[in-house]
Amino acid sequence: MVLVNGQPLDQIGISDRGFNYGDGLFTTLVCRAGVPLLWSSHVERLTSGCQRLAITAPDLTLIRAEVEQLAAGDDCIIKVVISRGYGGRGYAIAGVGAPNRVLSRHPLPAHRQQWRQQGIVTVLLPQPLGSQPLLAGLKSLNRLEQVLLRQAAVSAGADEGICVDDAGMLVEATAANLWWRANGIWHTPSLERCGVSGVMRQLLLDTFAARGQAVRQLCVAATALDEADELMLTNTTFGLVPVRRYQQREFTGWPAISHLQQELAEVMA
Amino acid sequence: MVLVNGQPLDQIGISDRGFNYGDGLFTTLVCRAGVPLLWSSHVERLTSGCQRLAITAPDLTLIRAEVEQLAAGDDCIIKVVISRGYGGRGYAIAGVGAPNRVLSRHPLPAHRQQWRQQGIVTVLLPQPLGSQPLLAGLKSLNRLEQVLLRQAAVSAGADEGICVDDAGMLVEATAANLWWRANGIWHTPSLERCGVSGVMRQLLLDTFAARGQAVRQLCVAATALDEADELMLTNTTFGLVPVRRYQQREFTGWPAISHLQQELAEVMA
């Protein structure tokens, strides 16, 4: 089920700039009984993302109504894509029409609970992510790096790959943010030069801040993970996913992650 | 006029990976009297690009026939987009269908001759291109950087912007390759870490090589342009375009560029 600019279509015109240049952004919502979770965080991400790309801000009331229309009271995933619109002359944006919005409904992944409970296998990817401060933090439609890096992880027999930037500093996984617990404190890479600032990552940062709980956002090489007691990946679709294996190292228990999973169960569905 | 997988449609399904992730590539052909110029170079670009992205190589005989069908004996531009196809699970490519090919016809830009004869105004852009060897040289569908950088050039009152990488080394313009002539020799940036290896750039390299004429591909900072007698941008749509102004510097004549334009008139239409 798909709505393109509010119409029940499953096609987009080929002059759309999302198709031609990846000129747009997206966010992925989890709905529980038809209600989108963490709505205000997704709104913030769409609004600030459009502002950074100089895309006219979408009508969020309209998007909310369309999310609920597609979700129809069910548990599901709704993907919201905003592209800059149709047209323009090559890369130049003069003359581009209104933004296009494409909402599509998808089932919750079948392996979601399994990943949360049993953890996943990860590898450190040798191919770095490119650094681009203009796009750092954004979930833009330019995701070809992630496609290639995910494929590298799959080829290595892993569920996910941990990515570094071209200076060898930790960034994230291909489709999730990275966290590790060391010396009783949660750590996550800062995302000034690349990476996606995920809604679930922001929820954790806000949660820790509200409690006055220390958390470190830092720029650090992958060797920092050698000191981790627990390692987890986060995104809105899967919530908090423990890492069962990273490189040669096995994690057989993850008490801090399990505790967080219980605390945040309400917003993770 | 558009052909989507051979059908006269102007829409693509929203599960196409080009739309969702920029997971594909493109090339832009100039047709003269319906015949695509530099066809073998475009074939080489599409074939090697698909190979690098692990996209099933398209049927080039079919694409050639579709190009001629759309061109219908006229002078025009045909854009050929190859996306990985529909589907997949997120970034993972397992289960993706056959590649989609989208061919569209466009008029030759009205200002094409003017740019060639009178030259254009360029600025050096302060925002660098990101480096990503996995994508360097490819004309992938991930072009959001170029959209933003072109907008920066337009905002600075220029026709085009000269881009450097994050080490400050010259790369290209937002939609063209960069050349400069110094001490009687043509120079162009090497493209190991970013940039698009253009068909017109390759034509020039091949032409110079066939003549035994020296040419330098190099990794060098923008200050190298201070020694240039002539500066030009090249792409298939515009051919060889002289730079009339770069930063504060005016170029009032470009004998070497004019000479090259005459020599290559046959393949530039």
Side-chain angles (χ1 to χ4, degrees):
Chain A
M1 279 175 290
V2 181
L3 292 173
V4 176
N5 297 324
Q7 302 302 306
L9 306 168
D10 62 357
Q11 308 249 318
I12 185 119
I14 69 100
S15 74
D16 174 74
R17 293 178 65 93
F19 176 68
N20 286 278
Y21 307 127
D23 190 3
L25 43 77
F26 70 109
T27 198
T28 308
L29 297 138
V30 173
C31 291
R32 187 165 49 189
V35 178
L37 301 179
L38 301 170
W39 173 248
S40 61
S41 303
H42 288 283
V43 163
E44 160 59 20
R45 147 184 272 186
L46 287 173
T47 306
S48 64
C50 284
Q51 193 166 27
R52 283 182 61 189
L53 297 180
I55 291 175
T56 309
D59 180 338
L60 294 158
T61 310
L62 192 60
I63 290 180
R64 171 71 186 234
E66 291 176 359
V67 166
E68 295 187 357
Q69 180 185 341
L70 280 180
D74 298 333
D75 295 348
C76 62
I77 303 277
I78 305 288
K79 180 173 177 179
V80 179
V81 178
I82 307 288
S83 89
R84 191 181 302 277
Y86 291 120
R89 201 185 73 198
Y91 301 140
I93 64 177
V96 174
N100 289 318
R101 62 182 190 284
V102 176
L103 281 75
S104 54
R105 174 180 162 146
H106 309 268
L108 288 166
H111 56 296
R112 195 158 160 262
Q113 292 305 330
Q114 187 196 329
W115 274 28
R116 283 187 195 168
Q117 288 160 14
Q118 300 175 17
I120 62 171
V121 173
T122 63
V123 290
L124 182 66
L125 295 174
Q127 306 91 336
L129 286 169
S131 294
Q132 177 47 277
L134 292 175
L135 301 178
L138 286 178
K139 196 153 180 172
S140 82
L141 296 175
N142 274 217
R143 302 252 73 86
L144 187 44
E145 282 186 300
Q146 283 69 26
V147 170
L148 298 178
L149 293 176
R150 169 59 71 93
Q151 187 55 21
V154 168
S155 298
D159 298 307
E160 252 288 17
I162 308 297
C163 306
V164 294
D165 66 18
D166 49 18
M169 299 295 125
L170 287 168
V171 183
E172 60 188 2
T174 69
N177 288 117
L178 169 68
W179 295 81
W180 66 100
R181 192 168 170 86
N183 304 314
I185 295 175
W186 282 109
H187 298 66
T188 191
S190 52
L191 302 172
E192 279 85 22
R193 303 192 67 233
C194 51
V196 172
S197 176
V199 160
M200 193 55 66
R201 177 180 184 272
Q202 193 57 51
L203 172 73
L204 286 174
L205 290 174
D206 294 345
T207 301
F208 294 143
R211 291 176 183 170
Q213 184 178 336
V215 57
R216 292 209 184 116
Q217 294 184 64
L218 70 180
C219 179
V220 68
T223 48
L225 299 182
D226 296 344
E227 294 167 31
D229 306 314
E230 299 183 39
L231 211 56
M232 74 174 172
L233 303 185
T234 65
N235 67 25
T236 42
T237 304
F238 288 89
L240 314 189
V241 174
V243 169
R244 183 174 82 235
R245 194 166 91 206
Y246 167 70
Q247 303 288 78
Q248 307 308 318
R249 185 164 169 208
E250 302 278 343
F251 295 85
T252 52
W254 34 80
I257 297 171
S258 298
H259 190 69
L260 269 179
Q261 284 176 330
Q262 287 163 24
E263 286 184 301
L264 297 174
E266 272 303 301
V267 290
M268 292 200 301
Chain B
M1 279 174 288
V2 181
L3 292 173
V4 176
N5 297 325
Q7 301 302 306
L9 306 168
D10 62 358
Q11 308 248 317
I12 185 121
I14 69 100
S15 74
D16 174 75
R17 292 176 65 94
F19 176 68
N20 286 276
Y21 307 126
D23 190 3
L25 43 76
F26 69 108
T27 199
T28 308
L29 297 139
V30 173
C31 290
R32 187 165 49 190
V35 178
L37 301 179
L38 300 170
W39 173 247
S40 61
S41 302
H42 289 283
V43 163
E44 160 59 22
R45 144 183 276 186
L46 287 172
T47 306
S48 64
C50 284
Q51 193 166 26
R52 283 182 61 189
L53 297 180
I55 291 175
T56 308
D59 180 338
L60 293 158
T61 310
L62 194 59
I63 290 181
R64 171 70 187 237
E66 291 175 0
V67 166
E68 294 188 358
Q69 180 186 342
L70 280 180
D74 298 332
D75 294 348
C76 62
I77 302 277
I78 304 289
K79 180 173 176 179
V80 179
V81 178
I82 307 288
S83 89
R84 190 180 303 278
Y86 291 120
R89 201 186 72 198
Y91 302 140
I93 64 177
V96 174
N100 289 319
R101 64 183 190 282
V102 177
L103 282 75
S104 54
R105 174 180 162 148
H106 309 269
L108 288 166
H111 56 295
R112 193 158 160 264
Q113 292 305 331
Q114 188 197 329
W115 275 28
R116 282 187 194 168
Q117 289 161 12
Q118 300 175 18
I120 62 170
V121 173
T122 63
V123 289
L124 182 66
L125 295 175
Q127 307 92 335
L129 287 168
S131 294
Q132 176 49 276
L134 292 176
L135 301 178
L138 285 179
K139 196 154 180 172
S140 83
L141 296 175
N142 274 216
R143 300 253 74 87
L144 187 44
E145 283 186 300
Q146 282 70 26
V147 170
L148 298 178
L149 292 177
R150 169 59 71 94
Q151 186 55 22
V154 169
S155 298
D159 299 306
E160 252 287 15
I162 308 298
C163 306
V164 293
D165 67 18
D166 50 17
M169 300 294 126
L170 287 168
V171 183
E172 61 188 2
T174 69
N177 288 115
L178 170 67
W179 295 81
W180 66 99
R181 192 167 170 87
N183 303 315
I185 295 175
W186 282 109
H187 298 67
T188 192
S190 52
L191 303 172
E192 279 85 22
R193 303 193 67 233
C194 52
V196 172
S197 176
V199 160
M200 193 54 68
R201 177 180 184 272
Q202 193 57 50
L203 172 73
L204 285 174
L205 290 173
D206 293 347
T207 301
F208 295 143
R211 289 176 184 169
Q213 184 178 335
V215 57
R216 293 208 183 116
Q217 293 183 65
L218 70 180
C219 179
V220 68
T223 48
L225 299 182
D226 297 344
E227 294 166 32
D229 307 313
E230 300 182 39
L231 211 56
M232 73 173 172
L233 303 185
T234 65
N235 68 24
T236 42
T237 304
F238 288 89
L240 314 189
V241 174
V243 169
R244 184 174 80 234
R245 195 165 89 207
Y246 168 70
Q247 304 288 76
Q248 307 308 319
R249 185 165 168 207
E250 301 279 344
F251 295 84
T252 51
W254 34 80
I257 297 170
S258 298
H259 189 69
L260 268 180
Q261 284 176 331
Q262 287 164 24
E263 285 184 301
L264 298 174
E266 272 303 300
V267 289
M268 292 200 300

